[in-house]
Each structure stands twice: as structure tokens, then as C-alpha cells.
Amino acid sequence: MAFEDYNNEDDRIKDKLTQKTWNEIRTNDSWAIFKIMSEFVNGYESMARIGPCVSIFGSARTKPEDPYYLLAERIAYKISKAGYGVITGGGPGIMEAGNKGAHHGGGTSVGLNIELPFEQHFNPYIDKDKNLNFDYFFVRKVMFVKYSQGFVVMPGGFGTLDELFEAVTLIQTKKIGKFPIILVGTNFWSGLLDWIKATIIEKHHNANPEDLNLIKLVDTEDEVVEVLDNFYKKYNLSPNF
């Protein structure tokens, strides 16, 4: 049955558990490994041809008239003009704005789509040969991280927070390079950063104070490009090396 055929989430879970025996479920999980492998192989082969880019994260629910949508579009435009490709989640909202800005800027516009029962559908501004589809969130996140030279994080919800903290954790633990993480929107992000500093770092000592140095907080498209350019000039690198 399709997701929409169920009355609620509990019915869907109950049906999934009662349709198959435990051994059947485990067998299906084993076969899923091949599906996961195929997504990794296809993703690696496709993204390797594209080259490193800057990932733009943000809400799928942001409307085209929203100031953050318009700002994301300007950011992506300037990023593409500066020589960077743009990767988004490929859907509507901020993702669409990112691809739209890159498209109009004449730059590489990549969409990493995920199959969801709501919200997600690919936007029309992705390069035709750079529209990838995934079933698994974790495979998709690997593609974001492995092929990104920086992360621009616009206002968003739980998915955006997940992507933000994934990038911070991997950099903090030295699993990936120390690429720039840029939060856009002082009014939106200040409360979270204040809580991290006061509660996580100063009160409970669950992170190091220098971990906050991984994150830059900005409000304009010029500041985003400045952070990216300063980082790569410091390490004598260039866009899409």
C-alpha cells in the first residue's frame, strides 16, 4: 500500500509489522544493502564529474515571496559568479531559490532529491544532468558533505538543523576538512547560538568553546562570498579545484 492509503502513521507501522514475519523483515533488510550500495555508487560517479561545490541548506516550506527565499537566490547567484557550483536538496523553498540563483548565474546547479511522502518534488532550476534521486537520507547526506567546499545554512526546520549539526560534528571530529559553515540570518540563528554557548559549552561543558569558531553568522550575500573567498585564499585554493 502507498503511504497515503493509510489512515494514520500507527496503521502504517502496524501493517508493516503484521504483513511479514521477523525473518522476512531481516531478509529484506539484507537485500536493502544492494540498494544502498547502488545509491552510493551512482552518487559517487555522478558527483565526481561535477566537482566540489557549496551546499545551501534551508526549509522546503519557504515561499518565493519570503525575504529569505530572495536572499538565498541572491547568495546562490553570487556564489556561482564567484566560480563555485551550488548543491541543494533539489526541492522547493530555499532549495529552489539556491538552484534558481545558480541557474541564473550561469553556474553549476545540482539537486540531491529525496523521496518523501510530502513536501519534496524537484525544482525546475537544476541542471538536467545533475538531478540525483535518493531513497536514503544518510546516503544523500554523504553526497552533500563529500563534495562540498562550504556550507551555507539558511533558516529551516528539523532537516536543516540535522544537516547543520552533521557538518559541524564531522568537522569537529576531523572526519572531513575544516570547510566554512555559514549561518545566514542573525535574527533566526542568534537564539540557537546563544543557547549552545550558555548551556552546552559554559554550563554543561559538553563542547569546546573553540567549536563555535567553526560557524560564521552573516546577513548578506556579500558576506557569504567574502567568508568563502577568505577561507580559500588563506589555504591557497580556488573554487572547484
Side-chain angles (χ1 to χ4, degrees):
M1 293 175 68
F3 182 89
E4 57 271 16
D5 293 333
Y6 294 98
N7 293 324
N8 55 55
E9 178 69 6
D10 287 341
D11 288 343
R12 187 180 74 87
I13 293 172
K14 188 184 301 181
D15 187 45
K16 184 176 180 180
L17 291 177
T18 55
Q19 280 181 346
K20 298 182 178 67
T21 66
W22 181 243
N23 283 335
E24 287 174 325
I25 293 171
R26 292 181 62 189
T27 301
N28 286 340
D29 287 345
S30 298
W31 280 105
I33 292 172
F34 294 99
K35 171 65 174 172
I36 294 166
M37 288 173 59
S38 72
E39 289 202 356
F40 272 118
V41 170
N42 181 59
Y44 284 158
E45 289 184 346
S46 299
M47 296 300 290
R49 292 192 296 269
I50 294 168
C53 300
V54 173
S55 286
I56 297 180
F57 301 132
S59 176
R61 306 183 187 199
T62 306
K63 303 301 182 187
E65 64 274 12
D66 189 285
Y68 283 123
Y69 180 105
L70 300 173
L71 178 56
E73 185 179 343
R74 295 197 302 271
I75 288 170
Y77 180 87
K78 292 212 82 165
I79 285 175
S80 67
K81 287 299 186 184
Y84 301 89
V86 170
I87 303 173
T88 80
I94 294 295
M95 295 175 282
E96 178 183 283
N99 289 125
K100 185 177 181 181
H103 175 74
H104 289 314
T108 299
S109 181
V110 184
L112 306 181
N113 275 281
I114 186 77
E115 302 227 352
L116 296 175
F118 57 91
E119 284 185 2
Q120 187 79 358
H121 55 82
F122 71 86
N123 67 71
Y125 302 103
I126 304 167
D127 293 345
K128 297 250 187 288
D129 61 335
K130 300 177 181 67
N131 187 10
L132 283 69
N133 291 286
F134 297 89
D135 285 325
Y136 298 97
F137 266 113
F138 66 93
V139 179
R140 179 177 180 245
K141 286 202 290 185
V142 169
M143 301 305 146
F144 272 123
V145 171
K146 184 174 177 60
Y147 295 98
S148 292
Q149 290 177 273
F151 306 94
V152 176
V153 190
M154 303 294 298
F158 291 121
T160 302
L161 292 173
D162 177 45
E163 290 157 342
L164 165 62
F165 285 115
E166 174 93 3
V168 172
T169 300
L170 290 172
I171 292 174
Q172 178 218 24
T173 55
K174 298 183 174 19
K175 294 297 183 181
I176 63 171
K178 192 178 179 182
F179 298 126
I181 298 175
I182 307 167
L183 303 186
V184 181
T186 300
N187 289 338
F188 186 89
W189 294 110
S190 289
L192 174 64
L193 294 178
D194 290 343
W195 177 77
I196 291 172
K197 182 180 178 182
T199 303
I200 293 181
I201 294 175
E202 294 177 355
K203 183 176 181 180
H204 293 286
H205 310 290
N206 288 334
N208 295 321
E210 56 267 26
D211 290 340
L212 275 182
N213 296 333
L214 299 172
I215 300 171
K216 302 294 184 184
L217 182 60
V218 306
D219 284 301
T220 69
E221 61 269 31
D222 290 333
E223 290 175 299
V224 171
V225 174
E226 183 181 4
V227 171
L228 291 169
D229 283 347
N230 286 343
F231 177 84
Y232 285 103
K233 285 174 185 174
K234 177 180 177 182
Y235 293 100
N236 198 28
L237 301 173
S238 61
N240 286 334
F241 53 85

